[in-house]
């Protein structure tokens, strides 16, 4: 149960959400959103999402239009339950609970087999029909007309343009299931998603998630980052599979770290030069100067779930991640809810390394 200490009366506060991608660990973000939606004083002005974060974002928007906060909670649950139903381990999950470590000896070998096949064969060879269960789940659970017409929040969905490697941000008024699939297209698992004659891969390579659209295009000065890829692991991986898992985590955090450092540099320069009129007249500089940044740190909560679990979608695992996400959001609201609208609660990274 959520603690009543986090409840507060008016005035309402507006906040942007930046939702990172990370496979089935997006169910942690589902739990975070489920808890935040219970706070009537907290309005979600905009959402930037990548991969699983993009799927949470469109479920949120469609649900808000269908039935407000309760509708959004129902839409998120409906989406993740369909993901669980599509799991190849659903029968085992029903018997034993997919979050149970007893299942890992059964699941992990299949994860390793998938890695081995992916290193030798492309999805164009392994999956020539380009079958993707996520397409059916999105089309059955998300009303994209409601997403495009949502006036309760703004969405920004990130993908990576294959030809140039550049970030492509899909705007809310154009969003389709293909654009969300592009944001979640891991190139060793799925064929590139073609949109308007251009091929796209997972947005995590270029913006995981991207922050600038939230800063420049919404009216909220508070931004809550919800990461699900551990920024730090204490042990050094020594097995080939563990090294690959950690390099993937580093890769999918790199674009976010770069964007945070850019924001830190602009803030630092504005402080150093005293906000000269020539620069400060630029709206983006003013928005960055006013930005209050928050981070719902998931490292401790998610570190026990290794990278092996990101491709596992058993119901027990997803529900456990949802529970942990709700608890993490509850803890964050208790500690920092009073700071929204007043001050940042996390530090930007240093503008230089070393």
């Amino acid at each position: 149960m959520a603690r009543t200490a986090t409840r507060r009366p008016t005035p309402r506060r507006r906040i942007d959400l930046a939702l990172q991608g990370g496979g089935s660990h997006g169910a942690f973000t589902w739990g975070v959103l489920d808890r935040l939606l219970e706070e009537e004083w907290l309005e979600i002005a905009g959402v930037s999402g990548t991969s699983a974060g993009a799927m949470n974002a469109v479920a949120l928007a469609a649900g808000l239009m269908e039935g407000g906060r309760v509708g959004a909670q129902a839409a998120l649950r409906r989406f993740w339950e369909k993901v669980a139903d599509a799991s190849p381990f659903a029968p085992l999950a029903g018997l034993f609970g997919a979050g149970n470590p007893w299942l890992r000896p059964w699941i992990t070998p299949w994860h390793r087999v998938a890695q081995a096949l992916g290193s030798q064969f492309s999805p164009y060879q392994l999956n020539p029909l380009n079958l993707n269960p996520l397409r059916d789940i999105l089309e059955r659970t998300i009303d994209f007309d409601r997403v495009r017409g949502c006036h309760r929040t703004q969405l920004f969905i990130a993908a990576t343009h294959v030809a140039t490697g550049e970030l492509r941000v899909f705007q809310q008024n154009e969003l389709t299931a293909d654009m969300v699939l592009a944001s979640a297209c891991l190139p060793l698992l799925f064929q590139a998603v073609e949109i308007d004659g251009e091929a796209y891969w997972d947005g995590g390579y270029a913006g995981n998630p991207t922050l600038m659209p939230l800063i420049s295009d919404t009216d909220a000065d508070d931004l809550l980052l919800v990461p699900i890829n551990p920024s730090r692991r204490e042990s050094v991986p020594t097995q080939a599979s563990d090294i690959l898992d950690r390099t993937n985590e580093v890769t999918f955090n790199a674009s976010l770290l770069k964007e945070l450092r850019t924001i830190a540099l602009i803030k630092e320069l504005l402080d150093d030069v005293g906000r000269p009129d020539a620069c400060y007249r630029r709206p983006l500089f003013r928005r960055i100067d006013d930005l209050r940044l928050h981070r719902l740190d998931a490292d401790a909560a998610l570190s026990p779930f290794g990278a092996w679990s990101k491709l596992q979608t058993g119901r027990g695992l997803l529900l456990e991640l949802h529970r942990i996400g709700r608890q993490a959001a509850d803890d964050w609201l208790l500690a920092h809810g009073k700071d929204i609208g007043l001050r940042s609660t996390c530090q930007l990274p240093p503008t230089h390394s070393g």
Side-chain angles (χ1 to χ4, degrees):
M1 292 292 292
R3 287 168 285 185
T4 56
T6 62
R7 300 184 185 276
R8 56 183 284 174
T10 54
R12 294 193 174 193
R13 303 292 186 186
R14 289 176 66 75
I15 193 168
D16 288 330
L17 302 178
L19 309 181
Q20 199 173 50
S24 65
H25 289 191
F28 171 91
T29 306
W30 164 33
V32 170
L33 294 173
D34 197 37
R35 178 65 185 88
L36 294 181
L37 285 163
E38 294 176 354
E39 299 296 326
E40 295 285 344
W41 59 271
L42 190 62
E43 295 182 349
I44 301 172
V47 185
S48 175
T50 297
S51 196
M55 296 185 186
N56 278 317
V58 294
L60 172 74
L64 285 172
M65 292 301 289
E66 180 181 1
R69 293 170 184 269
V70 174
Q73 289 176 308
L76 284 159
R77 177 169 291 277
R78 189 162 58 243
F79 170 79
W80 285 102
E81 285 180 346
K82 290 297 183 183
V83 171
D85 289 343
S87 170
F89 295 98
L92 287 176
L95 288 172
F96 304 107
N100 192 322
W102 185 89
L103 279 181
R104 184 171 180 179
W106 295 84
I107 295 175
T108 302
W110 291 105
H111 174 56
R112 302 308 181 206
V113 169
Q115 284 184 330
L117 288 173
S119 67
Q120 299 296 322
F121 302 97
S122 84
Y124 296 86
Q125 297 167 298
L126 291 174
N127 185 11
L129 297 179
N130 199 21
L131 302 176
N132 187 338
L134 286 174
R135 178 182 298 280
D136 182 59
I137 293 171
L138 281 172
E139 291 176 346
R140 291 174 60 189
T141 62
I142 306 297
D143 185 335
F144 277 89
D145 286 334
R146 284 179 171 151
V147 172
R148 290 186 290 270
C150 180
H151 55 78
R152 303 283 296 270
T153 191
Q154 292 178 259
L155 300 188
F156 308 93
I157 303 303
T160 302
H161 187 226
V162 176
T164 64
E166 293 180 354
L167 172 68
R168 167 71 187 270
V169 179
F170 294 109
Q171 304 294 318
Q172 179 172 336
N173 61 2
E174 64 179 337
L175 280 178
T176 63
D178 275 346
M179 292 173 184
V180 178
L181 289 171
S183 182
C185 180
L186 292 170
L188 291 179
L189 292 180
F190 303 109
Q191 297 180 24
V193 178
E194 187 172 303
I195 299 169
D196 296 330
E198 300 291 335
Y200 293 92
W201 282 341
D202 195 293
Y205 297 110
N208 194 21
T210 182
L211 307 181
M212 287 302 181
L214 294 173
I215 296 170
S216 63
D217 293 352
T218 80
D219 61 358
D221 290 326
D222 289 84
L223 193 161
L224 174 60
L225 175 62
V226 185
I228 53 176
N229 290 297
S231 57
R232 181 180 181 86
R233 287 197 183 272
E234 298 303 328
S235 60
V236 176
T238 56
Q239 300 295 317
S241 57
D242 294 332
I243 292 170
L244 179 61
D245 287 342
R246 184 55 182 157
T247 56
N248 285 336
E249 289 175 344
V250 171
T251 298
F252 282 119
N253 278 330
S255 59
L256 174 61
L257 181 59
K258 181 178 180 180
E259 200 162 359
L260 288 170
R261 281 181 169 158
T262 298
I263 292 169
L265 179 60
I266 293 174
K267 278 183 169 285
E268 187 178 285
L269 290 173
L270 289 172
D271 286 340
D272 288 347
V273 300
R275 299 169 180 78
D277 288 344
C279 292
Y280 208 60
R281 279 198 299 268
R282 298 184 179 183
L284 181 60
F285 284 4
R286 290 200 304 273
R287 296 304 311 280
I288 289 176
D289 194 34
D290 293 338
L291 178 67
R292 294 181 290 269
L293 187 66
H294 313 277
R295 182 185 180 104
L296 202 157
D297 199 336
D299 280 13
L302 292 179
S303 59
F305 298 87
W308 65 273
S309 64
K310 289 183 179 180
L311 295 179
Q312 311 312 320
T313 56
R315 185 177 299 271
L317 175 63
L318 298 183
L319 290 177
E320 177 65 8
L321 289 166
H322 170 267
R323 183 194 66 79
I324 294 170
R326 275 191 61 92
Q327 184 63 56
D330 197 45
D331 293 341
W332 184 85
L333 285 165
L334 189 66
H336 300 299
K338 62 184 180 300
D339 297 311
I340 298 175
L342 297 176
R343 62 184 66 85
S344 292
T345 59
C346 76
Q347 291 186 333
L348 288 162
T351 56
H352 53 83
S353 58

